[in-house]
Amino acid sequence: MDNTIAFTGLTKSFGRLPVLRQVGTTIGSGQVVGLFGRNGAGKTTLMRILYGMIGPDAGQASLLGLDPQAHPVEVRQRVGLVSEECHLYPWMDANALETFLAPLYPKWDRELFRRHLASMEVPPDRRVDALSRGTKRKLMLSLALAAQPEVLLLDEPLGGLDAVVREQIVTTLIHSLTDHGVTIFLSTHEIEQFAKVCDRVIILSHGGFLVDRETAALTDQVRRVTATLEHPVEAVPAHPQILSARAHGTQVEFVLNGFTQETADAILANWKVREVAVSGLTLPEIFIAFTAGKEEVS
Amino acid sequence: MMSILYKEYLEHRLFFLLMVLTGLGSLVIARWARVLDNGTGIVLLFLLEAPILTYVVAHQAVFREFQQGTLPFLAGLPLGRSRVWLAKALFAGLFAAALYLAFALLGTAFGLTLEPIRFDRLDLFVFRNAMALCGIPVLVVAVGLFTTLLLPEGGALLAIVFTATTALVGYATHALAGMNLLLLEVLVVVALLATSWYTFVTGNLFSAWRLALRAVLVLAACVAAGTLLWVGIDTLAEGAVRLEIPEQLRGSVTEDGRRFFGQVSATAALWDTIPADSYQRAVEIDLATGRGRPVARRTTAAGMPTRDGRGLFAYDPWVWPGVAARQDLLFLDLADGGRERRVDREAVPHFLLPDDTLLYTRFSTPGGHSLSEICRWSPARGTHPLTAFPTREFRGPWPVRLFSAMLLVAREGKTPSRLLSLADGALLPIPLPPGATLAAETSRFAVFGIHRSGRLWNTSAGTTWFALDASGTRRDLPGLPPQAELRGTLPDGRLLVRTESAERVAMGRPRTTTLSTYRVEDGASQTLAVFQDVTVVTHLAPDGGYVVCELVAENRAWTWLDLAALPPAGSANDRESGHAAPLSGSTVTPAKDLVGNRPAGGDQAATESRLPSGGQPTGAGQPGNPDQPATHRQLAPGGQLVPGGQAAPEPATTPVTTPPATALFPAPVTGEPAPALSPTPIRLPGDGFRTVICRPGHQALFYGKVGAAGELWEADLRQGSTRRRWALTF
Amino acid sequence: MIKVDETAPVPIYVQIVQGFKREILRGVFGPDHRLPSIRDLAVELKVNPNTIAKAYQEMETQGIIYFKRGQGAFVAPGTEEERMKEARTEIKRLFGEILAIARSLNLTDEQLQSLLNDLLAGRTHGPKARKEA
């Protein structure tokens, strides 16, 4: 795998608050990676560091082989960032924005921009401050895509949008994946929206990466074991692979990370078991299992 | 970058239009209210509206992005932050230029012309052309570009606190005293722009507080660097001053005649931190060798040395053009390497007492009126105030040795002059009429004159003379004519008198000038010499042995009269023994001004600081008459010293004609007294000699420019020989 | 048609494979039928094309499809018996899951049997029954 996006040991604190603690990973060309984390986990900070807007306290980041702080111009011409808040000039419309931005990007494609505006139903001559939130987001995405970036960084791309708009955005993203082969790194705290789109999932919690695995593998390897016991129990004994556990009378239930039959049996051996059932979890359930009970500080 | 400029233009074009309309509107209103003239128009447009509007635009540069929430967008563009800042700074500058141009056109349409404005006597530098058109907008844009980064209100407060602290420190330590305003503005503008650029490029644009804090800290660093730079330039400039060879020696000689202290013109060799390109620098010249060296800091002007030459009183004048001016009085301890002690602020020295105590006046303005306070100062005992009075009430003081007192003359005509004790400032019970000024002093008498003012060369002007003896008894001096001027005192108590005829020829030169002596005791007088068509300046030797006469016409000639060869006074009432009482010139005036210069008209400070030569107070000897300006000098044909107007170059004969009809002395009607002496010319090369230093024993020193060099020539008057002693080097 | 449920606890690519298998079993896709291109399917399903690619890869490994260079993916011809055997295995597995659920709901075997009979009887009513199954 090549190093389209690569970072190691990234650390950032704001004052005495550590937000990122030595996180690192590598993302190859054409991959779509979802960064999941609760509100305030540090997703936006990581995005800003990757885009070179702020500098890390420690560690290195490289996009397309370049340090975003050392080569901001080149990196930004090849990497697009769409943030959750709209920072566009409120008095400009799509046409004016194109006039403003096109000279800054060598690969700007006017046709492509118009096509995106049309397909996502963004009016080209209405002022930004007269647009709804969803339309603004679609406009920002169109602007980012018009520059034909090789990498897209999306910070909460679907946050606060209605279903129709979400659909439009996802469709556009899929198109850019199939037609242009962009590498996408997106962050969100709503996991189910992207189950179909991300082929890799990273869970950020308390400044670290709890999970960094292919989506399919995650779904495969995290299983819920439900057992009915002979006698009631108080609690499930701790085990490094148990993500969450519940005991209610004669029913026990625990979620295993990296499920194997042997591991499950080893845990069940603690009791006399009448019946056992193993089931899979949805991605949101997996997410909750990993992060529940650990408060993030925003 | 063009994208940004175009975007700024789009954002601001309406605003620009509004600003121009504001200017137009204000002009229209001013004209309708009939208050529009050049002054108000320029103030309105260029000193009020344009700077404010320019500041708003510069301040909006980053601040508006912050308010709109577009700062992250701007920072995230594929354009280095440095270029973003540059684009915004450039736009602010262009906007300012366009606005000023628009206003200039508007103003011209309304009939304004861009002249500097003066408001009564307030010539504040901001009202001058260059400042209003370039200095202010540049400064305003720089301030705007700096304050635009103080995004939270707290940040603005921080910056205000910092600026106020810096200003207070600068004021309290006089760090900016007399500083070159252009240099100051350049440093401030550079500091602000550098701070703004650096903070924008490296600061955290997501945290308003961090950004503001960084801006203030960087500015503090720039101010520190700027201060170091200023100190560096100041230090370098101190040593890089070029001293010019003067035409005259303006200053004082020590009592032993060995050293001269005075001023020469100096020009800065480097860019200087003080506003003037050239200034007067205090120097010391060794009269034996002609080696000169600067003393004191370059902005310090020389005053008078002490008797023993171990100390020098000096001024520290500093001027901020159009803002403030001040003059401090200093004492330099020359024996201790020129260590400075401040005597007082805003003070002017007058004369030294026998024990080297200085008598000076300090000025203050309590309640807006100038107050003069006469004080004594000595290195050991410091300041001791004697008396105080409103400055507009009195002139002076002058020393009156006879009474150990000082004389104050009222400016307003009806108030009597006063004598105040030098010991404690108490008023002496010796009444003086209004307008009485001290003209001369002998060992037994103080001679006063009351001048009736008239216009220059007006025949109605004249002086009434009287003398006081040590007990305060007054006697009139009828034998002393009203047109007389007292030019010195001889050791035997006679006064040297110069009388010019009322009739004038070219350039205000008197038709006839008569030099004579006059004895106070009995009114006896004796004519020494008479000169025609020439202005005569006399320089009396300290031992009374001779008088050097400087004859000024189209060119300049030096002659001398041998007083030692004088026949005794011919009056029958002569009660004097004929002995010359030894001139104890060191009672009141220890460091004699033996340099016989005529002070230039208007140089009041120099006049007041110069010590009176033995017994003759400067300024008081010619009550009311302005000093004659130096006349042109030309090389006499053939190098001969010819008094102007004279045809025959016969040096030895008396160049005399009959005195004018207005009798000078109550001489016997029978005949005119013939002048007793004939002036002997002194041979000096060229026409450039301006200064004479008279020495006892018929030796005189002359200083002047010969070509480009300043040379000192010594003359043995009796022998009639002159020879060159040295050329001045620094 | 192939449908994907992102909320299901089954990997997407597995769902796609299963979907295709079902369609092939039902005869919607016959042997040598050309599958939709990865791109078209990605757009239609709003699924990451990599995932589609992975599903196709898996199906090729399982022998369900084969690739023809430059032309795409095609359904592999296979014996009806193999298909039926696979279908039976699949149904058996599904029955197993139902059984587990029924047990957990404390349904008796008799109750389960009667439910099944009802359903079997409803089969004769056509499409409605199919929907319920």
Side-chain angles (χ1 to χ4, degrees), chain A residues 14-15 48 51-54 72-73 76-77 86-92 97 99-101 103-105, chain B residues 1 3-4 6-7 10-11 64-65 68-70 72-81 204 206 210:
Chain A
F14 288 114
R48 286 182 180 165
Y51 203 60
M53 305 270 262
I54 59 180
V73 176
R76 289 168 194 176
Q77 284 176 340
C86 178
H87 297 299
L88 301 175
Y89 289 99
W91 50 273
M92 285 191 177
L97 280 164
T99 312
F100 180 63
L101 290 174
L104 302 173
Y105 296 93
Chain B
M1 200 161 102
S3 280
I4 308 251
Y6 183 63
K7 178 213 61 120
L10 288 178
E11 258 185 313
R64 187 175 180 174
E65 307 281 348
Q68 278 179 149
T70 52
F73 176 64
L74 207 58
L77 292 175
L79 202 64
R81 278 201 214 169
N204 181 350
F206 292 103
R210 279 167 212 269

Side-chain angles (χ1 to χ4, degrees), chain B residues 511-603:
Chain B
R511 168 66 68 188
T512 312
T513 308
T514 309
L515 293 181
S516 54
T517 61
Y518 180 86
R519 195 154 55 195
V520 176
E521 286 82 345
D522 57 5
S525 68
Q526 182 177 32
T527 306
L528 297 178
V530 181
F531 300 88
Q532 293 276 29
D533 294 343
V534 74
T535 302
V536 180
V537 182
T538 59
H539 308 277
L540 181 62
D543 60 1
Y546 62 93
V547 178
V548 172
C549 302
E550 189 180 351
L551 309 178
V552 184
E554 277 85 27
N555 44 28
R556 192 176 299 251
W558 294 87
T559 62
W560 70 283
L561 300 168
D562 192 348
L563 295 178
L566 206 59
S571 171
N573 293 334
D574 178 15
R575 283 189 222 107
E576 282 298 308
S577 64
H579 267 294
L583 178 67
S584 55
S586 40
T587 48
V588 181
T589 61
K592 303 182 180 85
D593 181 3
L594 300 172
V595 179
N597 285 333
R598 270 179 290 116
D603 187 2

